[in-house]
Amino acid sequence: MKIVAADVVVTSPNRNFVTLKITTDEGLTGLGDATLNGRELAVVSYLRDHVAPLLIGRDASRIEDTWQFLYRSGYWRRGPVTMAAIAAVDMALWDIKGKAAEMPVYQLLGGASRDGLMAYGHASGTSLPALFDSIREHQEQGYRSIRVQTGVPGLKSIYGIAAQSTTGERYDHEPAQRGAYPAEEDWDTRSYLRHLPTVFEAVRHEFGPDLPLLHDGHHRMTPIQAARLGKSLEPYDLFWLEDCTPAENQEALRLVRQHTTTPLAIGEIFNTVWDFQALIKEQLIDYVRAASTHFGGISPLRKVMDYAAQYQVKSGFHGPTDISPVGLAAQMHVGLAIHNFGIQEYMQHGAKTNAVFQQSFTFTDGYLHPGDKPGLGVELDVDEAGRYPYEVAYLPYNRLADGTVHDW
Ligand code: GCO
Ligand code: MG
């Protein structure tokens, strides 16, 4: 079965997505997600100019060989642009393999290890009553695990949550905003560190001890600040504290780990298994936050999880709306198959996105399932996608009171 076409589709229904569509001489098609939030067009060029021409004529059944060929022959390894491009090829070839075998991808990965994937949603609010309402809304939608993000007294924006649309239309709950320049936000770590434990105390008081609660620190703390936060949140029994320090310096996690038993999750901006090597081996984290889309696809995600299993480290794959329905499906198949699944982030795409990507997954009583259609279970409506041309959009960034740019 030979590859005869590799087309890159860019669409912006509720936000920008980059999708690779591979077609074979037998008429089978496969989809892959190559969306890199805020740097989308760099991956489009990488795929169109440097990858698609190499795929034509290749045997579509040789997933591992194609992955290794793209990774090694390019000479320049790793990095989000390269790995998002390779991810899209890998996912599309798994999709085709599933369709050829008439099986959902999770069956090809060894079959289901569970009935469904526990998912967490994102609750947020500037005040405690608003936060409680948001948690209740998520519970009404079926969520059994909730990420809690909150406003900090004295700061104008709640960091890391849904952008406020200027047109009133939904812009997929996610902080990137359309416009030619990133929005500027403010930040003060001391206020945050003082405030956050009081929020979790109030949430536990209101919702009781059972509800799994998560929090994302978005790389904003120094190691000693992260250690202090982990310690001060221990009474509230977090499911995890995510991205507590900037991901470049992995040594920082050693210091954090010495001081707290709050479980740690990291890796949404990691691109290869090498980024996790020391963190997993030294048991400095509890959850792998990689996304199929930025980690080279299904094949390496499966490999890192098999490595992590030796150290009782579980999955917590990155699933905000900047992972397209194709990328989300890819990691749902992996999550269903592996033994060391932990939790799946699930933010929910908007109606326009769901009309562009027809999906077969289900979300029932807080559990996701990728469905049983052959392949990944997602189809792209190319005409519908064509109605929404790319629109420039960036994540916000923040500055301290004295004007210094801070980590996002
Ligand atoms: C998460 C992420 C998101 C980011 C987004 C940036 O944990 O889901 O940190 O909150 O905003 O993925 O591209
Ligand atoms: Mg995060």
Side-chain angles (χ1 to χ4, degrees):
M1 186 168 47
K2 298 240 179 298
I3 297 173
V4 293
D7 301 303
V8 184
V9 178
V10 183
T11 183
S12 194
N14 296 98
R15 53 159 303 114
N16 292 316
F17 294 112
V18 178
T19 310
L20 178 70
K21 182 176 179 179
I22 292 182
T23 308
T24 71
D25 55 359
E26 294 179 15
L28 290 179
T29 59
L31 297 178
D33 179 23
T35 307
L36 186 60
N37 195 359
R39 296 292 185 271
E40 296 89 352
L41 300 185
V43 192
V44 173
S45 164
Y46 193 108
L47 278 170
R48 276 194 186 139
D49 298 334
H50 302 291
V51 173
L54 307 180
L55 294 177
I56 308 303
R58 288 186 71 84
D59 180 350
S61 67
R62 296 182 64 176
I63 303 176
E64 182 67 18
D65 181 67
T66 303
W67 196 99
Q68 298 296 345
F69 165 67
L70 292 174
Y71 185 74
R72 291 170 201 281
S73 73
Y75 187 68
W76 305 105
R77 299 180 185 192
R78 310 165 66 178
V81 177
T82 300
M83 300 313 290
I86 296 178
V89 177
D90 182 84
M91 284 180 215
L93 294 183
W94 276 104
D95 196 14
I96 288 171
K97 196 176 276 301
K99 288 176 179 174
E102 298 184 8
M103 283 185 197
V105 167
Y106 76 82
Q107 291 291 7
L108 305 180
L109 297 174
S113 284
R114 60 194 50 76
D115 301 329
L117 308 170
M118 182 168 76
Y120 75 89
H122 291 191
S124 56
T126 37
S127 64
L128 282 177
L131 175 63
F132 291 175
D133 286 349
S134 176
I135 294 175
R136 281 193 197 95
E137 274 167 34
H138 280 81
Q139 289 181 310
E140 280 156 23
Q141 290 173 37
Y143 285 102
R144 291 162 183 235
S145 308
I146 314 269
R147 184 181 93 161
V148 170
Q149 303 297 118
T150 165
V152 175
L155 297 184
K156 290 194 274 297
S157 44
I158 314 185
Y159 80 98
I161 65 139
Q164 303 309 309
S165 154
T166 45
T167 60
E169 194 191 9
R170 178 183 165 125
Y171 178 62
D172 266 2
H173 296 303
E174 201 267 320
Q177 292 180 42
R178 287 182 170 153
Y181 202 83
E184 184 178 306
E185 296 182 346
D186 52 355
W187 184 247
D188 180 347
T189 312
R190 290 190 69 233
S191 307
Y192 164 77
L193 291 176
R194 271 199 312 275
H195 184 60
L196 199 65
T198 69
V199 171
F200 275 92
E201 184 181 21
V203 171
R204 275 286 173 234
H205 190 255
E206 183 74 12
F207 293 91
D210 281 349
L211 183 65
L213 299 174
L214 303 84
H215 180 73
D216 192 345
H218 273 138
H219 306 120
R220 293 187 181 205
M221 287 161 273
T222 63
I224 203 68
Q225 287 170 335
R228 177 183 149 196
L229 181 67
K231 207 167 169 176
S232 60
L233 292 177
E234 277 170 22
Y236 314 114
D237 185 24
L238 263 62
F239 186 95
W240 79 33
L241 172 61
E242 176 189 345
D243 286 346
C244 58
T245 54
E248 295 95 320
N249 179 16
Q250 302 194 345
E251 305 267 320
L253 274 301
R254 285 200 191 101
L255 188 141
V256 181
R257 205 56 151 177
Q258 279 161 17
H259 291 280
T260 180
T261 56
T262 293
L264 302 177
I266 203 160
E268 70 179 47
I269 63 169
F270 289 1
N271 309 126
T272 71
V273 67
W274 305 108
D275 300 321
F276 282 107
Q277 190 181 32
L279 296 186
I280 291 174
K281 196 168 175 196
E282 293 185 36
Q283 307 189 68
L284 299 179
I285 58 170
D286 301 281
Y287 294 93
V288 165
R289 285 285 287 147
S292 56
T293 307
H294 306 125
F295 200 72
I298 290 171
S299 306
L301 203 57
R302 171 72 203 232
K303 289 177 193 174
V304 75
M305 290 318 303
D306 286 345
Y307 168 54
Q310 297 176 56
Y311 301 92
Q312 293 173 283
V313 173
K314 296 189 176 188
S315 70
F317 301 144
H318 189 214
T321 50
D322 47 305
I323 303 300
S324 91
V326 179
L328 190 64
Q331 54 202 34
M332 279 193 236
H333 285 278
V334 177
L336 201 65
I338 58 176
H339 178 250
N340 52 336
F341 170 81
I343 199 166
Q344 173 63 52
E345 182 179 23
Y346 175 48
M347 241 173 123
Q348 301 198 15
H349 291 104
K352 288 181 183 171
T353 298
N354 292 334
V356 169
F357 296 93
Q358 284 129 24
Q359 300 157 63
S360 65
F361 79 92
T362 52
F363 180 54
T364 316
D365 295 333
Y367 288 88
L368 290 160
H369 190 286
D372 281 299
K373 287 227 173 100
L376 292 174
V378 184
E379 292 302 329
L380 177 72
D381 184 331
V382 177
D383 294 335
E384 191 66 16
R387 293 179 53 207
Y388 306 108
Y390 168 80
E391 288 188 44
V392 63
Y394 291 113
L395 287 164
Y397 78 107
N398 64 77
R399 288 184 188 272
L400 307 179
D402 70 356
T404 308
V405 173
H406 191 62
D407 293 303
W408 193 80

